[in-house]
Every structure is written in C-alpha cells, then in structure tokens.
Amino acid sequence: MRTRARTRPYGLLVSLLLLGAGLLPAGAATAADNGTWAVFPTPPAGAATTGRAYFFHQGAAGTTLDDSATIINSSDRELTFRVFATDAVNTPSGGAFALLPVETKPKDVGTWVALPAETAGTVTVPAKGRKDVPFTVKVPADATPGDHVGGIVVLNTAVEGVQREGGVQVGVKRSVGARLYLRVPGPVSAGLSVEDVRVSRTAPPLPWFQDARATIAYSLVNRGNVVIEPEVAVSAEGLFGRRVLDRPARGPKPVLLPGQRMELTEPWPDAPQSDWVTVRVRAGAQTHPDLLSESEADFIAVPWPAAGALLLLAGAGAALWALRRRRRPAEAEHPLTESPLTRTH
C-alpha cells in the first residue's frame, strides 16, 4: 500500500472547545452532571443558575485569574469529594475528549490551577446541598501562546462498585469534570494533518452474491496551538477514474486539542470486489476554509475465495492434462495386438 499526502495547514482559528470528561465521565454542554452530583462555574451573586457552560478565560503570561466552581449534591445523603485540576486530552481511538484521572499528573493548565487549602483533602456537600470552591489560575511567565485546555474534577471518595481487570478486583469511583479553556494571547495558528490512511478489507465467500466489507482508518493530528473542529470527506476511485465512494464533508468530528492525535475509522459496507482503488481522506474546518489536509492510499480488491477456487480448478485441470500427456507416449511404444488364438474367420 502506498500513501501520498498533501497538506496546507495555516491560518487562525478561534474556536470554543466543548470538552467533556472522557477518561472521566463525559459532561453535557451545560453543567457536568451525572445525575447524582454536578460541577459548573459558580453563578453570579444572587443567581441560582449560570449562563456559563464551562470555564473560559484569556490571560497573558504571568497573570493570575480568579474563578469559582459550584458543586451540587442532588442525592438524599451527604457526599464527600476530592476536588482537583487536571489537563484535557483526546483519546487515541475515536478522539473522545478526556480529563486525566487523579493518578496521572498534569503537565499544562492543570498545574496552573490553585485550589484553596481547605479543599486540599476533601470537600463534603450535604444532601440536596451546594458548595462553592474558589480557585486561581496562575499563568506562568513562560506560557506558550494558544489554547490550554483542562478541567476541574469532582471525584466521589466512596467506592460505588467493583469490577475485575484480569485477576484483580478494582474499586470503581465516579467523577465529573467541568471544562476549562484558557487562551494565552500571542501568535496562534491552526494546523490539521491527515495521516496514516489505510484500508482493511473482508471478502465474502460468494463474491458478487454478497457485499465485500472494508474499513478505512486514518489519523487526524492537530499541529497548531488552537483547538479545531475538523470535518472529514472520504472518497475513492477505481480504475480509469471511476468513482466508487463519495462521502462529502461531515462533522464536526470530535474537537481536536493542540498537539493531540486521534484515530478514526470509516466503515465501507459495499466495497469493490475486483478493482484497483485509491482512497482519499480530506479534512478541513468549516470555520476556517483555508485549513485543509489530504492524504490517500491505494489497495487492490481481489475476490480471494473465488480466485482460490479458480486456481484449484486450474491446478486440477493442468494435472489431468499432464497425466494424459504422459500416457500417450506409453501407449505408442506398446500398442495392443490381437492374439492368434482369438482370431476369427
């Protein structure tokens, strides 16, 4: 399989990332809520609700920002939580948005967040109650320009279940994360790259009586310093330029964070069964038409079960023909003669 890539990443893109807690439970576009407790930006004084679905700030390197997270306990019992800040990532497979779990140390915006001393251990919220947790974001003097994405996570300290991983029992604790986006002013650029296009294919036992199935896999990589919302178009051409697949740009795909990579797949339930095919994956962003990346890969579609059967038949025919050829010289050297005792007049 050969791969050719053509990429034109440039330009600016200002996009708000709607990040849920992927390694942690994903949050909705409003408050991050699992039905038992929720965490979201603290409403203004005197207000019961907030118009902010997430934390979004802009701060120059060396500045300090203040904000507050509100924890709501909707249950009928008192709950104790561990509150911490962490970084956001894209999960490699599928690109889901995730906040790092408590045992993984953050390296970016998660390290910039300082929670009050009283929340260093745990925070207890009464039944049907609420707790506001103020925090500060200290942007380092050497912070790089662009988008830095993380979250404020509320982890229940109680074990809510047990699951087996191999031969080990693991206690399950639930958590909810509120998304945090911070833009550091400076030179920013959007960069998107389509890479590693590949095709896996399954041929049916009865070609042309059943459909062949294929899966197109590819990687999207954000090589810029701002979040992007990619849209992907997939097409394929057979011999002589015949179009065998045409799926226009769809999306947006999961929001892709700066420096992150995600692996995506595209099912192809009626793939060609006998052809030389070029598959092309093209990605862009509707909010920035100049952002474009394209990569392609070739594969040969052969109905292997049918081809194998034909080879077996051809082999059997060749063996029979060779056997006949060997018998003919033997018959010529030893012709059958009539016995004089059996001759009749």
Side-chain angles (χ1 to χ4, degrees), residues 19-41:
L19 172 70
L23 298 181
L24 307 175
T30 54
D33 189 347
N34 65 6
T36 305
W37 70 89
V39 57
F40 50 86

Side-chain angles (χ1 to χ4, degrees), residues 254-321:
V255 174
L256 187 56
L257 307 180
Q260 294 287 307
R261 168 190 292 264
M262 58 185 178
E263 306 289 336
L264 300 174
T265 58
E266 187 85 15
W268 192 358
D270 54 348
Q273 302 199 40
S274 179
D275 209 338
W276 183 301
V277 183
T278 298
V279 175
R280 185 173 294 106
V281 179
R282 181 172 182 167
Q286 186 176 11
T287 54
H288 202 290
D290 290 333
L291 187 66
L292 176 65
S293 179
E294 183 179 285
S295 187
E296 61 187 42
D298 295 341
F299 76 95
I300 299 176
V302 177
W304 293 114
L310 289 175
L311 287 174
L312 286 175
L313 290 174
L320 182 61
W321 178 82

Side-chain angles (χ1 to χ4, degrees), residues 59-124:
T63 60
T64 299
L65 308 168
D66 296 312
D67 210 328
S68 176
T70 293
I71 305 172
I72 296 291
N73 178 5
S74 303
S75 72
D76 296 324
R77 65 186 187 279
E78 181 180 87
L79 296 176
T80 300
F81 303 102
R82 180 174 177 182
V83 183
F84 63 95
T86 192
D87 297 338
V89 296
N90 286 106
T91 58
S93 178
F97 302 106
L99 293 174
L100 296 176
V102 64
E103 61 269 15
T104 303
K105 292 184 178 180
K107 298 180 179 180
D108 194 56
V109 70
T111 66
W112 305 353
V113 177
L115 295 163
E118 58 267 25
T119 65
T122 58
V123 174
T124 298

Side-chain angles (χ1 to χ4, degrees), residues 128-298:
K128 304 297 183 181
R130 159 182 168 169
K131 178 72 173 181
D132 295 339
V133 180
F135 64 89
T136 60
V137 182
K138 298 179 180 179
V139 184
D142 59 350
T144 57
D147 292 337
H148 301 264
V149 186
I152 306 296
V153 180
V154 178
L155 170 67
N156 190 1
T157 58
V159 176
E160 300 188 27
V162 176
Q163 65 183 25
R164 296 187 64 86
E165 294 184 1
V168 180
Q169 288 188 335
V170 179
V172 178
K173 296 180 179 180
R174 286 195 299 163
S175 56
V176 172
R179 299 148 288 191
L180 186 154
Y181 317 94
L182 192 145
R183 165 68 62 85
V184 177
V188 294
S189 63
L192 177 62
S193 177
V194 180
E195 301 177 4
D196 302 328
V197 178
R198 53 206 182 277
V199 180
S200 59
R201 181 177 169 276
T202 302
L206 297 175
W208 298 291
F209 291 94
Q210 296 174 292
D211 289 336
R213 305 184 66 86
T215 299
I216 302 168
Y218 58 95
S219 302
L220 292 182
V221 185
N222 185 345
R223 300 195 180 280
N225 61 358
V226 294
V227 298
I228 55 175
E229 296 179 287
E231 294 186 338
V232 177
V234 180
S235 61
E237 292 181 355
L239 288 173
F240 311 112
R242 182 172 60 92
R243 186 63 62 98
V244 294
L245 179 66
D246 190 3
R247 295 179 183 173
R250 293 179 296 172
K253 297 292 183 182
V255 174
L256 187 56
L257 307 180
Q260 294 287 307
R261 168 190 292 264
M262 58 185 178
E263 306 289 336
L264 300 174
T265 58
E266 187 85 15
W268 192 358
D270 54 348
Q273 302 199 40
S274 179
D275 209 338
W276 183 301
V277 183
T278 298
V279 175
R280 185 173 294 106
V281 179
R282 181 172 182 167
Q286 186 176 11
T287 54
H288 202 290
D290 290 333
L291 187 66
L292 176 65
S293 179
E294 183 179 285
S295 187
E296 61 187 42
D298 295 341

